[in-house]
Amino acid sequence: MSFAQVKFEAKVSKKKLGINERLRIDFEMNKDGDNFNPPDFSAFSVVGGPNTSVSNSWFNGKRSYKKTYSYFLAPKKKGKFTIKQATIEIDDEIYKTFPITIEVTDAVNKPGGQDSASYIASEKIHLVAEVSKTNPYINEAITVVYKLYVALDTGVSNWTEKDNPRFNDFWSQNIEIKGFKAESGQYKGEDYRYVVLKKVVLYPQKSGKLDLEPYVLDVTVEVPSSRYDIFGNRIMTKVPQTVTAGAVSINAKPLPEAGKPADFKGAVGRFDFSVTTSKTSLNATESLQAKVEVSGKGNLKLFELPELNVPSSLEVYEPEYKDNVRTDLRGMRGSISNTYTIVPQYRGKYPVPSISFSYFDLDSKTYKRINSDELVIDVLEGPSNDPSIASNNADPAVSSPQKSTINVSDQFAFIKTSTKLKPKIAQDFFQSRLFWSLFLVPFLAIPIAIVFRRQKDIRDADVQGKKARKANKMVRKYLSVAKKELGQKETFYISLEKALHNYLKAKLYIETSDLSKERIAELLQQRQVKEEEIQNFKELLENCELARYTPSTEVAMKADYDKAAKTISLIDKQMR
């Protein structure tokens, strides 16, 4: 009978709509619950919500309760789609809604024609992708700047990314934008305001026609209506709108084959090349560093450095790669290098031959080659690699047996660092330590199982403690989800709010329906929590509520997450 009294269902504003229309879906329940999980709206874009509404009423001495979660959806494409089940936990039971099938048709004519708010919004806001160059060479830097133009009599209260372009066939680097600043400009000859939303540096990786995927935003546009308030100010109407920068095509040119060097490895730009050593004279078994470095402007991270060639008498280790490259709207600039460690074994003079580096110069549209200087490494002291010199320098008065020379790479080969010894007589398993250990395990496991079962019965009988432990588990879960969703405003603040609510349920033993700010403050004061922490907790709850309707940056989300973790920790320490 108690199950029959609980109702949880999904309702939609319409089951058939045009691709340019919006759909509202409400999840209604007649009893308060916890851990609401909406379905996956994969075929739709969430342009609004979740909005929460609660109503309480009394009629003939009976209480009527209704709580609703509302979402506003925009279809992504035409066809028939199924909105799957939503779930919620009520009185420790999981309830689910029925799936709903929605049909999306071609665009329909909306009432109001060109005077409608949606049409005005579509004419007053534009997303533009400005490309610095549409016919670059392979590995030549180009920039794409995405600007949102808004008419002077129109406003934008919120925006979210719907489709973020993936730059296939390009090496890409996003340029960080510190704050969104509105500037004055013109769009098709008319005065507009615009905001730069995204900057990207691209390097084409193949020739031919390359398409940039469109950048799509869901925007809440404030359009002036025909109504005025009591002060004579025009009332603004908020309209959800989807804007796109449209697809842009880049025609990448291949590098010319005429004059291409045989050792060309794809460097495009303007560069300097050098080979240097930390020292030119040393003793045998000492080490020096040789650096092969390319510096300048171009695709520094997209080609390989030439290898260093040295005489076989010099022992060379694998190089250490370093890059000091910064990327801005003009492309990559800086330096990359390979540093080799060289250890000579014999005395003498060792020439390091010149090596060359070739690149395609964008200014002259030709290939250029740079040759390094030839270096000489002078090893002053150490054994000689020439047997005749070694015999001439020997003292004839001293007679000593001839010693064999061990190659440096094999001088430690005779030392073994591990063994694989086995006993000659293997011990029988019967009556061994392992035998008696396995024999006694069942007798030890029986009392442990009895104690464990009793403890479990005690824990199961503690209903209040069971709820608290479950809520504590949900706190950790939703804090973890919130940390992973930093940058995604909706899911981050929903998870953070659920974590805060479950924390209060675990610590104060109250239900979700009693989670008012005044009640929370009263209970925390009774548990001797300081006023500062109580105020911080209330501010976090307010931030979670306001974040649904106001824009928020990733920095603000990180600050709220850190504040929540710190506040929960302090309340735990102070609570009596």
Side-chain angles (χ1 to χ4, degrees):
M1 290 176 62
S2 63
F3 292 163
Q5 294 175 356
V6 177
K7 179 186 288 186
F8 178 52
E9 58 185 353
K11 298 180 180 179
V12 293
S13 58
K14 56 181 74 176
K15 291 189 176 182
K16 184 176 181 180
L17 69 157
I19 196 169
N20 59 332
E21 293 185 296
R22 298 292 184 266
L23 172 71
R24 173 173 174 164
I25 181 168
D26 296 330
F27 299 96
E28 295 182 358
M29 65 206 75
N30 64 347
K31 193 172 183 180
D32 198 8
D34 298 309
N35 306 321
F36 169 72
N37 290 310
D40 180 19
F41 302 115
S42 57
F44 300 85
S45 298
V46 180
V47 297
N51 300 329
T52 307
S53 63
V54 177
S55 66
N56 279 289
S57 61
W58 292 86
F59 182 73
N60 291 334
K62 293 184 178 180
R63 180 194 178 198
S64 175
Y65 176 86
K66 185 172 75 171
K67 185 174 183 180
T68 306
Y69 292 98
S70 300
Y71 292 82
F72 295 89
L73 310 177
K76 294 181 179 179
K77 56 184 178 180
K78 296 184 293 183
K80 286 188 176 182
F81 308 100
T82 299
I83 298 178
K84 297 183 180 180
Q85 296 173 319
T87 62
I88 195 167
E89 181 180 346
I90 302 176
D91 295 336
D92 295 330
E93 294 290 335
I94 302 298
Y95 293 85
K96 299 180 180 180
T97 61
F98 289 105
I100 300 176
T101 301
I102 304 297
E103 182 180 358
V104 181
T105 64
D106 292 327
V108 298
N109 294 325
K110 295 185 178 181
Q114 294 189 352
D115 294 331
S116 68
S118 296
Y119 177 79
I120 295 173
S122 65
E123 294 295 313
K124 297 289 186 178
I125 186 167
H126 309 278
L127 184 61
V128 178
E130 296 183 355
V131 182
S132 63
K133 194 172 185 178
T134 57
N135 58 340
Y137 282 102
I138 292 179
N139 275 317
E140 180 182 358
I142 61 173
T143 59
V144 183
V145 179
Y146 294 94
K147 296 180 179 180
L148 182 65
Y149 284 87
V150 181
L152 299 180
D153 60 347
T154 309
V156 172
S157 60
N158 193 17
W159 62 272
T160 56
E161 292 182 346
K162 183 177 181 180
D163 286 327
N164 212 345
R166 293 165 301 184
F167 300 104
N168 300 325
D169 303 322
F170 293 89
W171 182 94
S172 63
Q173 174 72 55
N174 286 322
I175 306 299
E176 182 182 1
I177 299 177
K178 297 181 179 179
F180 299 107
K181 181 181 178 182
E183 300 182 35
S184 298
Q186 285 195 334
Y187 179 79
K188 294 185 178 180
E190 297 183 10
D191 291 333
Y192 272 75
R193 291 168 298 160
Y194 71 88
V195 176
V196 176
L197 301 180
K198 191 180 186 69
K199 298 178 182 178
V200 187
V201 175
L202 303 176
Y203 285 84
Q205 296 301 293
K206 70 178 186 179
S207 60
K209 183 181 178 182
L210 309 178
D211 294 326
L212 304 182
E213 294 181 355
Y215 184 35
V216 185
L217 301 177
D218 280 328
V219 184
T220 301
V221 186
E222 296 179 349
V223 179
S225 67
S226 58
R227 296 176 295 129
Y228 295 84
D229 59 20
I230 59 174
F231 301 104
N233 298 319
R234 188 184 290 269
I235 297 176
M236 306 296 284
T237 301
K238 291 187 177 181
V239 181
Q241 191 75 19
T242 300
V243 292
T244 177
V248 180
S249 296
I250 304 296
N251 185 24
K253 298 180 293 186
L255 298 176
E257 293 295 329
K260 180 184 288 188
D263 60 350
F264 177 70
K265 295 187 177 182
V268 177
R270 187 171 62 253
F271 303 103
D272 292 320
F273 176 66
S274 64
V275 178
T276 58
T277 58
S278 60
K279 60 180 82 171
T280 56
S281 60
L282 70 165
N283 296 328
T285 71
E286 292 182 355
S287 65
L288 63 88
Q289 281 71 43
K291 179 188 288 188
V292 179
E293 183 178 38
V294 173
S295 60
K297 174 185 175 182
N299 60 332
L300 287 162
K301 295 183 179 181
L302 304 177
F303 61 84
E304 296 180 359
L305 289 165
E307 295 182 358
L308 182 69
N309 297 317
V310 297
S312 59
S313 299
L314 300 177
E315 187 174 2
V316 183
Y317 294 89
E318 288 295 322
E320 178 185 2
Y321 177 82
K322 289 184 178 180
D323 72 75
N324 181 21
V325 180
R326 64 184 184 277
T327 306
D328 54 25
L329 288 179
R330 293 173 294 179
M332 299 185 213
R333 57 184 67 237
S335 64
I336 58 173
S337 64
N338 275 336
T339 301
Y340 296 81
T341 298
I342 301 176
V343 181
Q345 301 301 320
Y346 306 99
R347 71 172 182 266
K349 294 183 181 294
Y350 300 93
V352 177
S354 171
I355 58 177
S356 64
F357 169 72
S358 58
Y359 67 94
F360 181 73
D361 183 34
L362 291 171
D363 294 333
S364 61
K365 305 293 189 297
T366 58
Y367 292 95
K368 292 189 176 182
R369 179 186 296 276
I370 305 176
N371 295 311
S372 66
D373 296 330
E374 183 176 324
L375 303 173
V376 176
I377 299 175
D378 188 6
V379 183
L380 302 176
E381 297 180 4
S384 175
N385 198 22
D386 190 344
S388 61
I389 297 177
S391 60
N392 292 335
N393 292 339
D395 188 354
V398 179
S399 176
S400 60
Q402 185 178 2
K403 296 182 180 180
S404 61
T405 303
I406 299 176
N407 194 341
V408 174
S409 61
D410 298 330
Q411 59 183 334
F412 297 110
F414 65 94
I415 300 177
K416 296 186 179 295
T417 57
S418 62
T419 61
K420 295 182 179 179
L421 303 179
K422 295 182 180 179
K424 291 183 178 180
I425 302 175
Q427 184 181 5
D428 293 333
F429 173 71
F430 181 69
Q431 293 188 346
S432 65
R433 290 183 179 180
L434 179 61
F435 171 82
W436 290 114
S437 298
L438 296 175
F439 182 79
L440 295 175
V441 162
F443 298 97
L444 296 175
I446 292 173
I448 294 174
I450 293 173
V451 173
F452 177 79
R453 181 58 183 266
R454 288 179 178 176
Q455 292 294 329
K456 185 177 183 300
D457 292 341
I458 294 172
R459 287 169 62 90
D460 291 342
D462 183 11
V463 178
Q464 197 72 22
K466 183 178 178 181
K467 288 184 177 181
R469 289 190 295 273
K470 187 173 183 180
N472 265 325
K473 182 178 178 181
M474 300 306 296
V475 172
R476 294 190 295 270
K477 171 187 173 183
Y478 285 118
L479 277 177
S480 176
V481 172
K483 186 174 183 180
K484 293 178 181 177
E485 296 295 336
L486 280 170
Q488 304 294 327
K489 185 189 73 169
E490 296 292 342
T491 52
F492 170 80
Y493 279 106
I494 289 173
S495 300
L496 186 62
E497 185 178 30
K498 288 182 178 180
L500 297 175
H501 284 180
N502 280 284
Y503 175 77
L504 291 174
K505 291 176 63 179
K507 297 298 180 182
L508 303 180
Y509 306 111
I510 60 176
E511 296 300 327
T512 306
S513 57
D514 295 330
L515 290 176
S516 64
K517 296 184 180 65
E518 295 74 15
R519 180 63 175 160
I520 293 169
E522 178 185 349
L523 292 175
L524 290 176
Q525 288 172 353
Q526 292 176 4
R527 303 292 289 273
Q528 299 183 16
V529 177
K530 293 182 180 179
E531 187 63 32
E532 181 182 356
E533 273 62 60
I534 296 175
Q535 187 62 31
N536 287 339
F537 201 95
K538 291 168 65 178
E539 289 176 358
L540 285 169
L541 291 175
E542 291 174 357
N543 289 350
C544 291
E545 295 173 0
L546 293 175
R548 297 171 181 168
Y549 313 103
T550 58
S552 183
T553 63
E554 186 172 350
V555 175
M557 295 182 204
K558 182 66 167 59
D560 283 340
Y561 176 82
D562 294 340
K563 185 177 181 181
K566 181 179 179 182
T567 302
I568 289 175
S569 175
L570 291 174
I571 291 177
D572 270 340
K573 294 178 182 177
Q574 298 172 14
M575 192 174 291
R576 301 283 176 84

